[in-house]
Every structure is written in C-alpha cells, then in structure tokens.
C-alpha cells in the first residue's frame, strides 16, 4: 500500500483497476450496505473527542488506516427488535431508503459499535441506557455476535433491551469507488458515549484505539502521520466546527446524506480521480506513475510515499 505526502490511503493497484474499468474490462461489484459510528465525548481540553481505531496492517482492506467502529449489515439485522426513538418509517425518510432497509442499517450501527468498541446504544426502556457492558456475560454475548452465533435481535430480546435509535444521528453516506474489489455503501452516524460506559479495543481487526479531537486527528493526517481513507478524514473535518457533543448531535438532522462516490476517468495520458464535493482528494495520475502505483498530485506530478501508521484510534 502507498499513500501521498499527507495521510490519504492510496492502494498501488488502483491505477490498473481504474484503467480496466474505463476500458470495460472490469465489472464493478455491488456494494454491501454498512454502517459506522463516530462515538463522541466532550474532552477536558475543550471540544468533542472522537473514538477511533487503527486497522491492523495485515488487513487486506485499508490495513494501517484509522477508522471508526463499524461493519457490514447482517441479513439477520432485519429481524424485529424492541425499538425506541424515531420510527423505522421516519428513519426511512431521513435516509432515503425503505423502512426495512433503514432498520438493518440502524441495527448494524448499534451492533457493530458493541462488537468493536464494547459500547451499546440500548437500554431497559425507551428512556434508559445500559451503564456497564464489561462483565464476562457481556463479553460472551459480544463474542457470539462477532462469530455470527447470536443474532442481534436475540441478544436484545434475551436481555430485555430496547434499541435506542434516538441516540444516533445520521451524518454522511459514502460508497466505495466502482474500481475497488471490496465495495461498501456506508452510512456514518454520530452518537454520544453513554454515561457509565467506556470504550475498549474489542475488535480483532484493530491494533490500537484512542480518543482524539477531530482537529488533532486531521492535523496528524495532514502531516502524513495518520493514514485515513477519504470518508474518514472528510467526516473528521466536518466535526471541527462544533464546540460540544450536544452541538454536534443537534447538527446531525441538517447533514447532507447524498452519497459520495469517487469518479475515475482517463484524460489524455492521465487518470483523473476525484470525489465530488471533496476537492482535496483529487488526483491526476500520469501513465508513468500509474505503472508503478505512485499517485500524482493535482498538477500531475508524483508524491512521495507517506507513512502508513499513526498514533490514535
């Protein structure tokens, strides 16, 4: 894997796949629905901090990159669950999908946050939240969820828990580029860390986790110290204007959920790669650079490979 002089994740195989797509030699796979959650808490130094994790460098997809807890929708996420907050129909309107799909995405967001961070957005009633998920019995259930041995609906039902959809705010939607072999249609949500709960590195896919202020994480990316995919750094930057977690959650309703999908095209002897509405990620890759997997910058020159690691998450 290579990156640019900042921390933008850039796999070396992209140019060949982009050319194959442009030449009609590559059929884009259908993206899998997925959800990820930006867990927030107010920091002692002022402003919200976000929980991030670093994917193990051995991971086939985005190894070494910083991300948020999340993952794919499980077909069993469509099973009925006790539900609090906006109805499935209301979520469907907000997200531009049907109610059944809205439920699967919301369930995936809550389930994956528990699986990867040990944080559960559910309670015994519509106005309560679990305060401690650290016991051995909780860990056994979490491991069973990860292993697909326990459906999320059965987990909630057995514990008499209500899913708190009102604790989530839909923030953004990004779709993996068509030239990627693994594609996801990912919904990004914001949520406050429930009082009494604490995060932990519960994911086998991560080797490091931390709380970090968005501006600090973005600065690390800009210095080339933290590797991130475009959706991650874009959502981090979008958090920076908000002074508190409460302000961030209140702003969720106004966020634009139009999906962001990268565009790649051949322009003369260059490949142009762009993400609509996010000019900072635009790359012009000369054919000589494409042969080696080195990304070009906005005027077509090559960037040096940057570091692939970092500090938080």
């Amino acid at each position: 894997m290579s990156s640019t002089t900042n921390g933008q994740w850039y796999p070396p195989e992209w140019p060949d796949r982009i050319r194959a797509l442009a030449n009609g030699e590559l059929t884009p796979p259908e993206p899998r629905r997925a959800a990820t959650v930006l867990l927030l808490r107010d920091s002692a130094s002022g402003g919200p901090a976000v929980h991030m994790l670093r994917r193990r460098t051995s991971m086939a997809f985005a190894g070494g990159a910083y991300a948020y807890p999340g993952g794919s929708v499980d077909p069993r996420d469509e099973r009925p669950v006790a539900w609090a907050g906006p109805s499935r129909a209301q979520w469907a309107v907000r997200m531009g999908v049907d109610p059944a799909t809205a439920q699967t995405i919301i369930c995936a967001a809550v389930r994956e946050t528990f699986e990867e961070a040990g944080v559960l957005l559910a309670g015994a009633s519509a106005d309560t939240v679990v305060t401690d998920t650290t016991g051995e019995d909780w860990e056994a259930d979490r491991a069973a969820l990860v292993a697909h041995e326990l459906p999320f609906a059965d987990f909630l039902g057995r514990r008499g828990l209500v899913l708190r959809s009102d604790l989530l705010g839909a923030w953004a939607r990004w779709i993996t580029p068509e030239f990627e072999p693994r594609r996801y249609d990912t919904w990004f949500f914001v949520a406050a860390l429930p009082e009494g709960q604490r995060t932990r590195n519960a994911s086998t896919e991560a080797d490091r986790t931390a709380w970090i202020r968005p501006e600090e994480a973005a600065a690390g990316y800009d210095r080339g110290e933290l590797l991130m995919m475009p959706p991650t750094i874009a959502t981090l930057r979008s958090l920076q204007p908000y002074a508190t977690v409460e302000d961030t959650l209140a702003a969720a309703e106004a966020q634009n959920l139009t999906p962001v999908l990268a565009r790649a095209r051949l322009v003369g002897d260059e490949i142009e790669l762009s993400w609509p509405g996010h000019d900072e990620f635009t790359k012009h890759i000369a054919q000589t650079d494409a042969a080696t997997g080195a990304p070009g910058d906005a005027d077509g020159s090559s960037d040096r490979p940057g570091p692939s690691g970092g500090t938080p998450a």
Side-chain angles (χ1 to χ4, degrees):
M1 177 187 300
S2 63
S3 73
T4 60
T5 48
N6 59 19
Q8 184 176 341
W9 180 68
Y10 186 93
E13 67 271 15
W14 270 9
D16 286 342
R17 295 189 63 83
I18 290 169
R19 285 199 303 272
L21 179 66
N23 294 332
E25 301 166 356
L26 180 67
T27 301
E30 281 296 314
R32 298 177 60 184
R33 291 192 181 96
T36 191
V37 176
L38 287 65
L39 281 173
L40 304 170
R41 71 181 185 191
D42 289 315
S43 65
S45 56
V50 61
H51 178 69
M52 301 189 73
L53 54 83
R54 187 178 71 176
R55 295 173 59 83
R56 295 184 183 278
T57 55
S58 59
M59 296 293 294
F61 181 79
Y66 284 84
Y68 315 112
S72 301
V73 166
D74 184 324
R76 298 177 298 178
D77 288 332
E78 63 187 25
R79 294 187 182 182
V81 297
W83 187 278
S87 68
R88 295 160 180 80
Q90 289 173 306
W91 275 109
V93 171
R94 171 73 178 114
M95 299 167 68
V97 298
D98 61 83
T101 298
Q103 174 181 307
T104 63
I105 296 167
I106 296 294
C107 282
V110 176
R111 175 179 51 76
E112 288 285 346
T113 302
F114 180 57
E115 289 182 9
E116 297 202 337
V119 171
L120 184 61
L121 303 176
S125 64
D127 56 1
T128 63
V129 186
V130 171
T131 58
D132 185 5
T133 62
T134 59
E136 291 183 4
D137 58 331
W138 285 104
E139 179 57 26
D141 281 349
R142 192 198 63 79
L145 286 167
V146 172
H148 300 283
E149 297 169 352
L150 176 64
F152 186 56
D154 292 356
F155 163 69
L156 293 178
R158 191 174 67 194
R159 288 184 171 271
L161 295 175
V162 178
L163 183 148
R164 291 287 305 276
S165 80
D166 55 317
L167 300 182
L168 291 167
W171 195 260
R173 181 184 180 188
W174 287 66
I175 301 177
T176 309
E178 292 182 329
F179 49 81
E180 264 290 322
R182 296 176 179 85
R183 299 189 65 212
Y184 302 93
D185 181 353
T186 304
W187 296 85
F188 289 74
F189 297 89
V190 290
L193 177 69
E195 185 175 352
Q197 293 194 43
R198 61 179 185 269
T199 56
R200 63 184 186 276
N201 185 5
S203 173
T204 58
E205 299 179 355
D207 61 11
R208 182 178 298 174
T209 67
W211 287 92
I212 186 168
R213 295 175 62 195
E215 54 267 36
E216 293 173 355
Y221 168 91
D222 291 335
R223 293 191 300 266
E225 297 171 358
L226 305 184
L227 183 67
M228 299 181 200
M229 293 176 282
T232 309
I233 181 59
T235 49
L236 276 172
R237 295 201 198 281
S238 71
L239 293 176
Q240 290 183 224
Y242 304 103
T244 65
V245 172
E246 184 179 1
D247 291 341
T248 309
L249 297 178
E253 194 62 32
Q255 297 302 307
N256 185 353
L257 299 184
T258 302
V260 180
L261 174 63
R263 295 173 180 168
R265 60 176 184 154
L266 298 178
V267 183
D269 62 351
E270 289 185 335
I271 295 171
E272 181 184 85
L273 178 60
S274 64
W275 278 258
H278 299 272
D279 293 342
E280 72 166 297
F281 305 129
T282 298
K283 293 293 172 188
H284 292 85
I285 309 161
Q287 293 287 2
T288 53
D289 297 324
T292 62
D297 64 16
D299 33 289
S301 60
S302 294
D303 288 334
R304 302 185 307 276
S308 61
T311 48

